[in-house]
Short mmCIF file of all heavy atoms in Angstrom, two decimals:
data_model
loop_
_atom_site.label_atom_id
_atom_site.label_comp_id
_atom_site.label_asym_id
_atom_site.label_seq_id
_atom_site.Cartn_x
_atom_site.Cartn_y
_atom_site.Cartn_z
N SER W 12 108.52 113.64 93.50
CA SER W 12 108.10 114.85 92.82
C SER W 12 106.96 115.48 93.61
O SER W 12 106.27 114.81 94.38
CB SER W 12 107.65 114.55 91.39
OG SER W 12 106.50 113.70 91.39
N GLY W 13 106.76 116.77 93.40
CA GLY W 13 105.72 117.48 94.14
C GLY W 13 106.31 118.29 95.27
O GLY W 13 107.47 118.12 95.66
N THR W 14 105.49 119.17 95.82
CA THR W 14 105.93 120.03 96.91
C THR W 14 105.66 119.36 98.25
O THR W 14 104.52 119.08 98.60
CB THR W 14 105.20 121.38 96.85
OG1 THR W 14 105.45 122.00 95.57
CG2 THR W 14 105.72 122.30 97.94
N ILE W 15 106.73 119.13 98.99
CA ILE W 15 106.66 118.41 100.26
C ILE W 15 107.16 119.31 101.38
O ILE W 15 108.24 119.90 101.27
CB ILE W 15 107.48 117.12 100.20
CG1 ILE W 15 106.87 116.16 99.19
CG2 ILE W 15 107.57 116.48 101.59
CD1 ILE W 15 107.71 114.93 98.93
N SER W 16 106.38 119.37 102.44
CA SER W 16 106.78 120.16 103.60
C SER W 16 107.75 119.40 104.49
O SER W 16 108.76 119.94 104.94
CB SER W 16 105.56 120.59 104.41
OG SER W 16 105.94 121.30 105.56
N SER W 17 107.43 118.14 104.76
CA SER W 17 108.28 117.32 105.62
C SER W 17 108.00 115.85 105.38
O SER W 17 106.96 115.48 104.85
CB SER W 17 108.08 117.68 107.10
OG SER W 17 106.75 117.40 107.50
N ILE W 18 108.94 115.02 105.80
CA ILE W 18 108.83 113.57 105.70
C ILE W 18 109.30 112.97 107.02
O ILE W 18 110.39 113.30 107.49
CB ILE W 18 109.69 113.02 104.54
CG1 ILE W 18 109.30 113.69 103.23
CG2 ILE W 18 109.54 111.50 104.45
CD1 ILE W 18 110.26 113.39 102.09
N GLN W 19 108.51 112.10 107.59
CA GLN W 19 108.88 111.49 108.86
C GLN W 19 110.00 110.46 108.69
O GLN W 19 110.91 110.39 109.51
CB GLN W 19 107.67 110.83 109.52
CG GLN W 19 106.63 111.82 110.02
CD GLN W 19 105.47 111.13 110.73
OE1 GLN W 19 105.41 109.91 110.81
NE2 GLN W 19 104.55 111.91 111.23
N ALA W 20 109.91 109.67 107.63
CA ALA W 20 110.90 108.63 107.41
C ALA W 20 110.87 108.18 105.97
O ALA W 20 109.88 108.38 105.26
CB ALA W 20 110.66 107.44 108.35
N MET W 21 111.95 107.54 105.54
CA MET W 21 112.04 106.93 104.23
C MET W 21 112.53 105.50 104.41
O MET W 21 113.32 105.23 105.31
CB MET W 21 113.03 107.68 103.34
CG MET W 21 112.72 109.15 103.16
SD MET W 21 114.06 109.98 102.26
CE MET W 21 113.41 111.64 102.12
N GLY W 22 112.05 104.62 103.56
CA GLY W 22 112.45 103.24 103.70
C GLY W 22 112.52 102.50 102.38
O GLY W 22 112.00 102.96 101.37
N TRP W 23 113.20 101.37 102.44
CA TRP W 23 113.28 100.45 101.31
C TRP W 23 112.72 99.10 101.73
O TRP W 23 113.01 98.61 102.83
CB TRP W 23 114.73 100.27 100.83
CG TRP W 23 115.26 101.47 100.11
CD1 TRP W 23 116.01 102.48 100.62
CD2 TRP W 23 115.07 101.76 98.72
NE1 TRP W 23 116.32 103.40 99.64
CE2 TRP W 23 115.74 102.98 98.46
CE3 TRP W 23 114.41 101.13 97.67
CZ2 TRP W 23 115.76 103.56 97.19
CZ3 TRP W 23 114.43 101.72 96.42
CH2 TRP W 23 115.10 102.92 96.20
N TYR W 24 111.94 98.52 100.85
CA TYR W 24 111.35 97.21 101.05
C TYR W 24 111.67 96.34 99.85
O TYR W 24 111.99 96.84 98.78
CB TYR W 24 109.83 97.31 101.21
CG TYR W 24 109.39 98.12 102.42
CD1 TYR W 24 109.50 99.50 102.44
CD2 TYR W 24 108.84 97.48 103.53
CE1 TYR W 24 109.09 100.24 103.54
CE2 TYR W 24 108.42 98.22 104.63
CZ TYR W 24 108.55 99.59 104.63
OH TYR W 24 108.14 100.31 105.72
N ARG W 25 111.58 95.03 100.02
CA ARG W 25 111.78 94.14 98.90
C ARG W 25 110.80 92.98 98.98
O ARG W 25 110.37 92.59 100.06
CB ARG W 25 113.22 93.62 98.84
CG ARG W 25 113.61 92.69 99.97
CD ARG W 25 115.10 92.34 99.87
NE ARG W 25 115.50 91.46 100.94
CZ ARG W 25 116.75 91.12 101.20
NH1 ARG W 25 117.74 91.59 100.45
NH2 ARG W 25 117.04 90.29 102.20
N GLN W 26 110.49 92.44 97.83
CA GLN W 26 109.58 91.31 97.73
C GLN W 26 110.10 90.34 96.69
O GLN W 26 110.16 90.66 95.51
CB GLN W 26 108.17 91.77 97.38
CG GLN W 26 107.13 90.68 97.46
CD GLN W 26 105.71 91.22 97.45
OE1 GLN W 26 105.46 92.33 96.98
NE2 GLN W 26 104.78 90.44 97.97
N ALA W 27 110.48 89.16 97.16
CA ALA W 27 110.93 88.10 96.29
C ALA W 27 109.73 87.28 95.83
O ALA W 27 108.70 87.26 96.50
CB ALA W 27 111.95 87.21 97.01
N PRO W 28 109.85 86.57 94.71
CA PRO W 28 108.74 85.75 94.23
C PRO W 28 108.26 84.77 95.28
O PRO W 28 109.05 84.04 95.88
CB PRO W 28 109.33 85.02 93.02
CG PRO W 28 110.41 85.92 92.54
CD PRO W 28 111.00 86.53 93.79
N GLY W 29 106.95 84.76 95.52
CA GLY W 29 106.37 83.84 96.48
C GLY W 29 106.60 84.19 97.93
O GLY W 29 106.24 83.41 98.81
N LYS W 30 107.19 85.34 98.19
CA LYS W 30 107.47 85.73 99.56
C LYS W 30 106.78 87.04 99.91
O LYS W 30 106.36 87.80 99.04
CB LYS W 30 108.97 85.87 99.79
CG LYS W 30 109.76 84.59 99.60
CD LYS W 30 111.21 84.75 100.01
CE LYS W 30 111.35 84.97 101.50
NZ LYS W 30 112.78 85.06 101.92
N GLN W 31 106.67 87.29 101.19
CA GLN W 31 106.05 88.50 101.69
C GLN W 31 106.99 89.69 101.55
O GLN W 31 108.21 89.54 101.61
CB GLN W 31 105.68 88.30 103.16
CG GLN W 31 104.57 89.18 103.67
CD GLN W 31 104.07 88.72 105.03
OE1 GLN W 31 104.79 88.09 105.79
NE2 GLN W 31 102.83 89.04 105.33
N ARG W 32 106.42 90.86 101.34
CA ARG W 32 107.24 92.06 101.28
C ARG W 32 107.84 92.33 102.66
O ARG W 32 107.15 92.25 103.68
CB ARG W 32 106.41 93.26 100.83
CG ARG W 32 107.22 94.52 100.58
CD ARG W 32 106.37 95.63 99.98
NE ARG W 32 105.80 95.25 98.70
CZ ARG W 32 105.12 96.07 97.91
NH1 ARG W 32 104.94 97.34 98.27
NH2 ARG W 32 104.62 95.63 96.76
N GLU W 33 109.12 92.65 102.68
CA GLU W 33 109.81 92.87 103.94
C GLU W 33 110.55 94.19 103.94
O GLU W 33 111.00 94.67 102.89
CB GLU W 33 110.80 91.73 104.23
CG GLU W 33 111.94 91.63 103.23
CD GLU W 33 112.99 90.60 103.62
OE1 GLU W 33 112.98 90.14 104.77
OE2 GLU W 33 113.83 90.26 102.76
N SER W 34 110.69 94.75 105.11
CA SER W 34 111.46 95.97 105.28
C SER W 34 112.94 95.64 105.21
O SER W 34 113.41 94.69 105.83
CB SER W 34 111.12 96.63 106.61
OG SER W 34 111.93 97.77 106.83
N VAL W 35 113.68 96.45 104.47
CA VAL W 35 115.11 96.26 104.30
C VAL W 35 115.90 97.30 105.09
O VAL W 35 116.84 96.97 105.81
CB VAL W 35 115.51 96.32 102.81
CG1 VAL W 35 117.02 96.26 102.66
CG2 VAL W 35 114.84 95.19 102.05
N ALA W 36 115.52 98.55 104.95
CA ALA W 36 116.23 99.64 105.60
C ALA W 36 115.32 100.84 105.73
O ALA W 36 114.40 101.02 104.93
CB ALA W 36 117.50 100.01 104.83
N ALA W 37 115.57 101.66 106.72
CA ALA W 37 114.78 102.87 106.93
C ALA W 37 115.65 103.95 107.54
O ALA W 37 116.63 103.66 108.24
CB ALA W 37 113.58 102.58 107.84
N ILE W 38 115.28 105.18 107.27
CA ILE W 38 115.97 106.32 107.86
C ILE W 38 114.92 107.34 108.26
O ILE W 38 114.00 107.64 107.51
CB ILE W 38 117.01 106.92 106.87
CG1 ILE W 38 117.79 108.05 107.54
CG2 ILE W 38 116.34 107.38 105.58
CD1 ILE W 38 119.02 108.46 106.74
N THR W 39 115.04 107.87 109.47
CA THR W 39 114.08 108.83 109.99
C THR W 39 114.49 110.25 109.64
O THR W 39 115.59 110.50 109.15
CB THR W 39 113.95 108.71 111.51
OG1 THR W 39 115.16 109.17 112.13
CG2 THR W 39 113.69 107.27 111.93
N SER W 40 113.59 111.19 109.92
CA SER W 40 113.88 112.59 109.67
C SER W 40 115.08 113.06 110.48
O SER W 40 115.78 114.00 110.06
CB SER W 40 112.66 113.46 109.99
OG SER W 40 112.30 113.34 111.36
N GLY W 41 115.32 112.43 111.62
CA GLY W 41 116.47 112.77 112.44
C GLY W 41 117.76 112.09 112.04
O GLY W 41 118.81 112.36 112.62
N GLY W 42 117.68 111.20 111.05
CA GLY W 42 118.87 110.55 110.56
C GLY W 42 119.15 109.17 111.14
O GLY W 42 120.14 108.53 110.76
N SER W 43 118.30 108.70 112.03
CA SER W 43 118.48 107.36 112.58
C SER W 43 118.17 106.31 111.52
O SER W 43 117.24 106.47 110.74
CB SER W 43 117.58 107.15 113.79
OG SER W 43 117.90 108.06 114.83
N THR W 44 118.94 105.24 111.50
CA THR W 44 118.76 104.19 110.51
C THR W 44 118.49 102.85 111.17
O THR W 44 118.90 102.59 112.30
CB THR W 44 120.00 104.06 109.61
OG1 THR W 44 121.15 103.78 110.42
CG2 THR W 44 120.23 105.33 108.83
N ASN W 45 117.78 102.01 110.44
CA ASN W 45 117.51 100.64 110.85
C ASN W 45 117.65 99.74 109.64
O ASN W 45 117.29 100.12 108.54
CB ASN W 45 116.11 100.50 111.44
CG ASN W 45 115.96 101.15 112.78
OD1 ASN W 45 115.47 102.28 112.89
ND2 ASN W 45 116.39 100.45 113.83
#
């Protein structure tokens, strides 16, 4: 929500009980994914 001019990237992270938060997936403004 809110007025946004641009976003460099978006990502998803997950954290299981007792574990460190980790990156799951990401997508850049250009559409590249990891």
Side-chain angles (χ1 to χ4, degrees):
S12 63
T14 303
I15 295 173
S16 177
S17 63
I18 304 169
Q19 291 182 358
M21 303 173 177
W23 288 96
Y24 298 73
R25 68 185 180 188
Q26 188 166 22
K30 298 187 67 177
Q31 204 168 26
R32 187 173 300 186
E33 65 173 347
S34 176
V35 175
I38 184 167
T39 69
S40 61
S43 298
T44 58
N45 289 98

